[in-house]
Amino acid sequence: MTAEIIDGKAFAAEVRGKVAEQVAGLKAAHGVTPGLAVVLVGEDPASQVYVRSKGKMTVEVGMASFEHRLDADTSEADLLALIARLNADPEVHGILVQLPLPGHLNEDLVINAIDPAKDVDGFHISNVGLLGTGQKSMVPCTPLGCLMMLRAHHGSLSGLDAVVIGRSNIVGKPMAQLLLGDSCTVTIAHSRTKDLPEVVRRADIVVAAVGRPEMVPGDWIKPGATVIDVGINRIPAPEKGAGKTRLVGDVAFDSAAAVAGAITPVPGGVGPMTIACLLANTLTACCRANGWPEPEGLTA
Ligand code: NDP
């Protein structure tokens, strides 16, 4: 069997297209432009790249982008004061604080200072609780993107066996909650799981969110299973020249693609969906803030 490749890049472009269309609709009908504020503290190079591309794509879908770049030694009080201003700003519908924060800032305190209705990353404790109890919430972007791709591929997920490898608060746990919400039978595996290969072999759906290059080989995959590879790992690529690197996922793509029914590649799978879902969440937040209907096909 050769797996169908789930093209996250194309899927993300489709999601952004839907967002852009609905943003244009809101502008025309109500004169309101959804706005996303991104806060970056310090000069972490990877974070700078993410923030730049988030800002660019926000503008591309017709939303307002507000970037706040603060010095690495910004005090917690100053950061909290900025968040309070953004919470109160009616032009800002979504607030994202780029993580990780410099060590002197308490991430939990900062994230929980964001108005939960504007918490487009879905990391606020209220949103975590709402998701865990099956209530309407802001859903973390990466798992939301995975869910959208799974729904598009399978239609109904009801009754399928799903294994999520990884139990982080930003990917593994919310992913498992979403799959449970869609009536999968969910197993969450982690570093202490016994006989991981056997656990993975039972799964109709495998979501790998570990951060270990090509850890899941093809012979762990049940024939025909759907494999969603969240991992982003940079490894040396001497074949491209001295000192060169390339990105790989947590799944050994070639061997897994020979067995799976469908698989997301790295790069070009889950990654592009994460920013698309951030834009979708900002639109959702704007609609909810104004009491308008939820955007079509863009929420959990
Ligand atoms: P974390 O490091 O927070 O969590 C990793 C999880 O993997 C932990 O629960 C850990 O278990 C588990 N784990 C580690 N080793 C093993 C093992 N040998 N067997 C089974 N489980 C193991 O990572 P994140 O969830 O933040 O990220 C995971 C990956 O996804 C990373 O590569 C990251 O770069 C990528 N990522 C990609 C995004 C995207 O947009 N595509 C967005 C976010 C993340 P334990 O809890 O027991 O330690």
Side-chain angles (χ1 to χ4, degrees):
M1 178 180 296
T2 304
E4 178 190 327
I5 308 300
I6 300 177
D7 184 346
K9 219 170 148 186
F11 202 102
E14 212 177 289
V15 170
R16 290 197 306 274
K18 281 188 197 167
V19 171
E21 205 175 289
Q22 296 184 51
V23 166
L26 293 187
K27 283 186 191 172
H30 307 286
V32 168
T33 301
L36 172 64
V38 177
V39 180
L40 174 63
V41 187
E43 268 138 39
D44 178 65
S47 294
Q48 285 187 327
V49 172
Y50 292 140
V51 166
R52 209 173 307 128
S53 87
K54 282 168 186 170
K56 184 169 162 268
M57 290 198 185
T58 304
V59 171
E60 274 172 14
V61 295
M63 294 186 185
S65 168
F66 307 100
E67 269 182 39
H68 296 268
R69 291 168 183 268
L70 307 181
D71 293 338
D73 60 359
T74 297
S75 71
E76 205 160 79
D78 284 349
L79 179 55
L80 292 174
L82 171 61
I83 290 173
R85 283 202 302 280
L86 297 174
N87 283 342
D89 186 340
E91 288 186 15
V92 172
H93 302 95
I95 302 170
L96 179 146
V97 176
Q98 185 67 43
L99 301 178
L101 290 171
H104 67 286
L105 299 170
N106 179 334
E107 280 186 5
D108 287 338
L109 187 82
V110 169
I111 296 303
N112 289 322
I114 298 172
D115 176 349
K118 296 189 178 188
D119 166 38
V120 281
D121 251 344
F123 296 159
H124 189 289
I125 193 73
S126 298
N127 283 316
V128 175
L130 290 168
L131 178 62
T133 49
Q135 300 180 68
K136 196 184 276 187
S137 63
M138 293 305 306
V139 175
C141 304
T142 300
L144 178 59
C146 297
L147 183 75
M148 283 183 186
M149 291 193 285
L150 284 167
R151 281 180 178 166
H153 182 72
H154 283 273
S156 169
L157 306 181
S158 181
L160 296 178
D161 268 313
V163 170
V164 179
I165 318 175
R167 56 175 163 179
S168 72
N169 290 335
I170 62 166
V171 189
K173 283 183 199 154
M175 186 73 245
Q177 299 283 8
L178 290 172
L179 291 166
L180 196 57
D182 271 28
S183 298
C184 290
T185 303
V186 183
T187 303
I188 307 177
H190 46 77
S191 67
R192 308 291 175 90
T193 297
K194 286 186 189 149
D195 203 354
L196 186 59
E198 270 316 304
V199 171
V200 175
R201 272 185 204 115
R202 290 202 303 263
D204 304 306
I205 293 171
V206 180
V207 180
V210 182
R212 289 179 176 252
E214 302 178 320
M215 187 191 89
V216 179
D219 66 1
W220 291 14
I221 305 294
K222 175 173 160 179
T226 302
V227 178
I228 305 290
D229 192 351
V230 181
I232 301 177
N233 309 289
R234 194 164 280 287
I235 61 166
E239 71 280 6
K240 287 165 70 178
K244 297 284 183 194
T245 60
R246 66 189 174 99
L247 291 181
V248 296
D250 290 340
V251 177
F253 183 83
D254 290 342
S255 68
V259 186
I263 187 167
T264 59
V266 177
V270 175
M273 283 298 287
T274 297
I275 295 188
C277 287
L278 172 68
L279 304 174
N281 276 351
T282 304
L283 175 62
T284 300
C286 177
C287 290
R288 288 181 184 165
N290 289 284
W292 299 325
E294 303 262 311
E296 282 286 307
L298 296 173
T299 56

Short mmCIF file of all heavy atoms in Angstrom, two decimals, residues 50 142 165-172 189-193 196 208-212 215 220 229-233 248 250 269-275, ligand 1:
data_model
loop_
_atom_site.label_atom_id
_atom_site.label_comp_id
_atom_site.label_asym_id
_atom_site.label_seq_id
_atom_site.Cartn_x
_atom_site.Cartn_y
_atom_site.Cartn_z
N TYR A 50 8.46 33.14 13.35
CA TYR A 50 7.04 32.80 13.50
C TYR A 50 6.19 34.07 13.52
O TYR A 50 5.16 34.16 12.86
CB TYR A 50 6.79 32.03 14.79
CG TYR A 50 7.38 30.65 14.84
CD1 TYR A 50 7.97 30.16 16.00
CD2 TYR A 50 7.34 29.80 13.73
CE1 TYR A 50 8.52 28.88 16.05
CE2 TYR A 50 7.89 28.54 13.77
CZ TYR A 50 8.48 28.08 14.93
OH TYR A 50 9.03 26.83 14.98
N THR A 142 -2.60 23.92 16.83
CA THR A 142 -2.01 22.73 16.18
C THR A 142 -2.98 21.54 16.24
O THR A 142 -3.27 20.93 15.20
CB THR A 142 -0.65 22.39 16.82
OG1 THR A 142 0.21 23.52 16.63
CG2 THR A 142 -0.03 21.17 16.19
N ILE A 165 0.67 10.14 20.57
CA ILE A 165 1.96 9.93 21.25
C ILE A 165 2.46 11.30 21.68
O ILE A 165 2.74 12.16 20.83
CB ILE A 165 3.01 9.24 20.35
CG1 ILE A 165 2.38 8.10 19.55
CG2 ILE A 165 4.17 8.71 21.21
CD1 ILE A 165 3.33 7.46 18.54
N GLY A 166 2.55 11.52 22.99
CA GLY A 166 2.91 12.82 23.55
C GLY A 166 1.76 13.35 24.39
O GLY A 166 0.59 13.22 23.99
N ARG A 167 2.08 13.91 25.54
CA ARG A 167 1.03 14.39 26.46
C ARG A 167 1.28 15.84 26.88
O ARG A 167 1.01 16.22 28.02
CB ARG A 167 0.96 13.50 27.70
CG ARG A 167 2.28 13.35 28.44
CD ARG A 167 2.11 12.56 29.71
NE ARG A 167 3.40 12.09 30.21
CZ ARG A 167 3.57 11.39 31.31
NH1 ARG A 167 2.54 11.08 32.05
NH2 ARG A 167 4.78 10.99 31.68
N SER A 168 1.84 16.65 25.97
CA SER A 168 2.07 18.05 26.32
C SER A 168 0.75 18.80 26.39
O SER A 168 -0.26 18.38 25.81
CB SER A 168 2.99 18.73 25.30
OG SER A 168 2.29 18.94 24.09
N ASN A 169 0.79 19.94 27.09
CA ASN A 169 -0.42 20.77 27.22
C ASN A 169 -0.78 21.44 25.91
O ASN A 169 -1.94 21.82 25.70
CB ASN A 169 -0.23 21.84 28.30
CG ASN A 169 -0.17 21.21 29.68
OD1 ASN A 169 -0.71 20.12 29.89
ND2 ASN A 169 0.49 21.88 30.61
N ILE A 170 0.21 21.65 25.03
CA ILE A 170 -0.10 22.41 23.80
C ILE A 170 -0.51 21.50 22.64
O ILE A 170 -1.19 21.93 21.73
CB ILE A 170 1.04 23.36 23.38
CG1 ILE A 170 2.32 22.60 23.06
CG2 ILE A 170 1.31 24.41 24.44
CD1 ILE A 170 3.33 23.48 22.32
N VAL A 171 -0.08 20.25 22.66
CA VAL A 171 -0.44 19.36 21.55
C VAL A 171 -1.14 18.08 22.04
O VAL A 171 -2.32 17.86 21.76
CB VAL A 171 0.77 18.97 20.66
CG1 VAL A 171 0.27 18.23 19.41
CG2 VAL A 171 1.61 20.16 20.25
N GLY A 172 -0.42 17.23 22.75
CA GLY A 172 -0.92 15.89 23.05
C GLY A 172 -2.26 15.89 23.79
O GLY A 172 -3.23 15.25 23.33
N ALA A 189 -0.20 8.06 24.71
CA ALA A 189 1.07 7.40 25.02
C ALA A 189 2.11 8.46 25.36
O ALA A 189 1.99 9.62 24.96
CB ALA A 189 1.53 6.57 23.84
N HIS A 190 3.13 8.07 26.12
CA HIS A 190 4.18 9.02 26.54
C HIS A 190 5.45 8.24 26.82
O HIS A 190 5.53 7.04 26.49
CB HIS A 190 3.70 9.82 27.75
CG HIS A 190 3.06 8.97 28.79
ND1 HIS A 190 3.78 8.20 29.65
CD2 HIS A 190 1.74 8.73 29.04
CE1 HIS A 190 2.96 7.53 30.44
NE2 HIS A 190 1.70 7.83 30.08
N SER A 191 6.43 8.89 27.43
CA SER A 191 7.74 8.26 27.55
C SER A 191 7.74 7.04 28.47
O SER A 191 8.65 6.23 28.42
CB SER A 191 8.76 9.28 28.04
OG SER A 191 8.46 9.68 29.36
N ARG A 192 6.70 6.89 29.29
CA ARG A 192 6.66 5.73 30.21
C ARG A 192 5.73 4.63 29.69
O ARG A 192 5.51 3.65 30.39
CB ARG A 192 6.17 6.16 31.59
CG ARG A 192 6.91 7.33 32.19
CD ARG A 192 8.35 6.93 32.55
NE ARG A 192 9.07 8.11 33.02
CZ ARG A 192 9.11 8.48 34.30
NH1 ARG A 192 8.49 7.81 35.22
NH2 ARG A 192 9.80 9.56 34.64
N THR A 193 5.16 4.82 28.52
CA THR A 193 4.24 3.81 27.96
C THR A 193 4.98 2.50 27.72
O THR A 193 6.07 2.50 27.15
CB THR A 193 3.63 4.34 26.64
OG1 THR A 193 2.86 5.50 26.95
CG2 THR A 193 2.75 3.30 25.97
N LEU A 196 5.23 0.52 23.37
CA LEU A 196 4.66 1.53 22.47
C LEU A 196 4.35 0.96 21.07
O LEU A 196 3.28 1.25 20.52
CB LEU A 196 5.60 2.74 22.40
CG LEU A 196 5.09 3.93 21.62
CD1 LEU A 196 3.79 4.48 22.17
CD2 LEU A 196 6.15 5.04 21.58
N ALA A 208 1.49 11.72 16.14
CA ALA A 208 2.81 11.69 16.79
C ALA A 208 3.23 13.11 17.12
O ALA A 208 3.38 13.94 16.23
CB ALA A 208 3.83 11.03 15.87
N ALA A 209 3.37 13.40 18.43
CA ALA A 209 3.78 14.75 18.88
C ALA A 209 4.80 14.56 19.99
O ALA A 209 4.53 14.76 21.16
CB ALA A 209 2.57 15.54 19.37
N VAL A 210 6.00 14.17 19.59
CA VAL A 210 7.03 13.75 20.54
C VAL A 210 8.24 14.69 20.51
O VAL A 210 8.75 15.10 21.55
CB VAL A 210 7.49 12.30 20.22
CG1 VAL A 210 8.53 11.84 21.22
CG2 VAL A 210 6.31 11.34 20.21
N GLY A 211 8.70 14.99 19.28
CA GLY A 211 9.93 15.78 19.17
C GLY A 211 11.17 14.90 19.09
O GLY A 211 12.25 15.29 19.51
N ARG A 212 11.00 13.67 18.54
CA ARG A 212 12.14 12.77 18.32
C ARG A 212 12.16 12.35 16.86
O ARG A 212 11.21 11.70 16.38
CB ARG A 212 12.03 11.52 19.20
CG ARG A 212 12.27 11.84 20.65
CD ARG A 212 12.14 10.60 21.50
NE ARG A 212 12.46 10.96 22.87
CZ ARG A 212 13.57 10.59 23.49
NH1 ARG A 212 14.44 9.80 22.90
NH2 ARG A 212 13.80 10.98 24.72
N MET A 215 11.03 8.68 15.00
CA MET A 215 10.97 7.67 16.05
C MET A 215 9.99 6.54 15.73
O MET A 215 10.16 5.41 16.18
CB MET A 215 10.54 8.35 17.36
CG MET A 215 10.60 7.45 18.55
SD MET A 215 9.79 8.18 19.99
CE MET A 215 8.12 7.59 19.76
N TRP A 220 5.39 -0.12 12.95
CA TRP A 220 4.49 0.11 14.09
C TRP A 220 3.08 0.46 13.61
O TRP A 220 2.15 0.56 14.41
CB TRP A 220 4.96 1.30 14.94
CG TRP A 220 6.22 1.12 15.71
CD1 TRP A 220 7.15 0.14 15.58
CD2 TRP A 220 6.69 1.99 16.75
NE1 TRP A 220 8.18 0.35 16.45
CE2 TRP A 220 7.93 1.47 17.18
CE3 TRP A 220 6.20 3.16 17.34
CZ2 TRP A 220 8.67 2.08 18.19
CZ3 TRP A 220 6.94 3.76 18.33
CH2 TRP A 220 8.17 3.23 18.77
N ASP A 229 1.64 13.56 11.58
CA ASP A 229 2.98 13.76 12.16
C ASP A 229 3.15 15.22 12.56
O ASP A 229 3.33 16.10 11.70
CB ASP A 229 4.03 13.35 11.11
CG ASP A 229 5.42 13.25 11.70
OD1 ASP A 229 5.61 13.65 12.87
OD2 ASP A 229 6.32 12.77 10.98
N VAL A 230 3.08 15.48 13.86
CA VAL A 230 3.19 16.86 14.36
C VAL A 230 4.65 17.28 14.53
O VAL A 230 4.99 18.46 14.47
CB VAL A 230 2.43 17.01 15.71
CG1 VAL A 230 2.51 18.43 16.23
CG2 VAL A 230 0.98 16.59 15.57
N GLY A 231 5.53 16.31 14.71
CA GLY A 231 6.93 16.61 15.04
C GLY A 231 7.63 17.48 14.01
O GLY A 231 7.40 17.35 12.80
N ILE A 232 8.45 18.38 14.51
CA ILE A 232 9.33 19.18 13.64
C ILE A 232 10.72 19.05 14.22
O ILE A 232 11.00 19.57 15.30
CB ILE A 232 8.92 20.66 13.60
CG1 ILE A 232 7.47 20.82 13.12
CG2 ILE A 232 9.86 21.47 12.71
CD1 ILE A 232 6.97 22.26 13.13
N ASN A 233 11.57 18.32 13.53
CA ASN A 233 12.93 18.07 14.04
C ASN A 233 13.94 18.41 12.96
O ASN A 233 13.78 18.01 11.80
CB ASN A 233 13.09 16.59 14.40
CG ASN A 233 11.98 16.08 15.30
OD1 ASN A 233 11.91 16.43 16.47
ND2 ASN A 233 11.07 15.26 14.76
N VAL A 248 12.64 16.85 9.62
CA VAL A 248 11.91 15.58 9.56
C VAL A 248 10.89 15.57 10.70
O VAL A 248 11.00 16.32 11.67
CB VAL A 248 12.84 14.34 9.69
CG1 VAL A 248 13.81 14.26 8.54
CG2 VAL A 248 13.58 14.34 11.03
N ASP A 250 8.31 13.12 13.44
CA ASP A 250 8.51 12.07 14.46
C ASP A 250 8.29 10.69 13.86
O ASP A 250 8.48 9.68 14.52
CB ASP A 250 7.51 12.27 15.61
CG ASP A 250 7.82 13.50 16.44
OD1 ASP A 250 8.97 13.99 16.38
OD2 ASP A 250 6.91 13.98 17.15
N GLY A 269 2.89 19.50 6.26
CA GLY A 269 1.73 18.81 6.80
C GLY A 269 1.03 19.65 7.84
O GLY A 269 0.32 20.61 7.52
N VAL A 270 1.30 19.30 9.10
CA VAL A 270 0.63 19.99 10.21
C VAL A 270 1.09 21.45 10.34
O VAL A 270 0.29 22.33 10.67
CB VAL A 270 0.91 19.22 11.54
CG1 VAL A 270 0.34 19.97 12.73
CG2 VAL A 270 0.35 17.80 11.46
N GLY A 271 2.37 21.70 10.09
CA GLY A 271 2.95 23.03 10.30
C GLY A 271 2.12 24.16 9.70
O GLY A 271 1.69 25.07 10.43
N PRO A 272 1.85 24.14 8.39
CA PRO A 272 1.09 25.24 7.78
C PRO A 272 -0.31 25.39 8.36
O PRO A 272 -0.88 26.48 8.38
CB PRO A 272 1.01 24.85 6.30
CG PRO A 272 2.05 23.82 6.08
CD PRO A 272 2.33 23.17 7.39
N MET A 273 -0.88 24.27 8.85
CA MET A 273 -2.24 24.33 9.41
C MET A 273 -2.28 25.11 10.71
O MET A 273 -3.32 25.66 11.08
CB MET A 273 -2.77 22.91 9.65
CG MET A 273 -3.22 22.21 8.40
SD MET A 273 -4.59 23.08 7.60
CE MET A 273 -5.93 22.70 8.71
N THR A 274 -1.16 25.16 11.43
CA THR A 274 -1.17 25.81 12.74
C THR A 274 -1.47 27.31 12.59
O THR A 274 -2.33 27.85 13.28
CB THR A 274 0.17 25.56 13.46
OG1 THR A 274 0.29 24.15 13.67
CG2 THR A 274 0.23 26.27 14.80
N ILE A 275 -0.79 27.98 11.66
CA ILE A 275 -1.05 29.42 11.49
C ILE A 275 -2.44 29.64 10.89
O ILE A 275 -3.16 30.56 11.27
CB ILE A 275 0.04 30.11 10.62
CG1 ILE A 275 1.39 30.05 11.34
CG2 ILE A 275 -0.33 31.57 10.33
CD1 ILE A 275 2.51 30.83 10.69
P1 NDP B 1 6.97 18.24 24.50
O1 NDP B 1 8.44 18.05 24.60
O2 NDP B 1 6.27 19.21 25.39
O3 NDP B 1 6.27 16.82 24.71
C1 NDP B 1 6.77 15.66 24.14
C2 NDP B 1 5.99 14.47 24.58
O4 NDP B 1 6.56 13.32 23.98
C3 NDP B 1 6.00 14.24 26.09
O5 NDP B 1 4.70 13.96 26.56
C4 NDP B 1 6.92 13.02 26.27
O6 NDP B 1 6.54 12.15 27.30
C5 NDP B 1 6.72 12.30 24.96
N1 NDP B 1 7.87 11.46 24.66
C6 NDP B 1 9.18 11.80 24.71
N2 NDP B 1 9.94 10.73 24.40
C7 NDP B 1 9.09 9.72 24.16
C8 NDP B 1 9.28 8.36 23.80
N3 NDP B 1 10.50 7.84 23.63
N4 NDP B 1 8.19 7.59 23.64
C9 NDP B 1 6.96 8.10 23.82
N5 NDP B 1 6.72 9.37 24.15
C10 NDP B 1 7.78 10.16 24.32
O7 NDP B 1 6.70 18.54 22.97
P2 NDP B 1 5.48 19.30 22.22
O8 NDP B 1 4.21 18.58 22.44
O9 NDP B 1 5.56 20.75 22.49
O10 NDP B 1 5.95 19.10 20.71
C11 NDP B 1 6.08 17.81 20.14
C12 NDP B 1 6.65 17.96 18.74
O11 NDP B 1 5.71 18.68 17.94
C13 NDP B 1 7.95 18.75 18.64
O12 NDP B 1 8.72 18.20 17.58
C14 NDP B 1 7.50 20.15 18.26
O13 NDP B 1 8.49 20.85 17.55
C15 NDP B 1 6.33 19.82 17.37
N6 NDP B 1 5.34 20.88 17.27
C16 NDP B 1 4.90 21.20 16.05
C17 NDP B 1 3.94 22.17 15.88
C18 NDP B 1 3.45 22.45 14.51
O14 NDP B 1 2.91 23.50 14.26
N7 NDP B 1 3.56 21.52 13.57
C19 NDP B 1 3.41 22.94 17.00
C20 NDP B 1 3.86 22.46 18.30
C21 NDP B 1 4.82 21.47 18.40
P3 NDP B 1 6.65 12.56 28.87
O15 NDP B 1 5.50 13.46 29.13
O16 NDP B 1 6.52 11.24 29.56
O17 NDP B 1 7.97 13.21 29.05
#
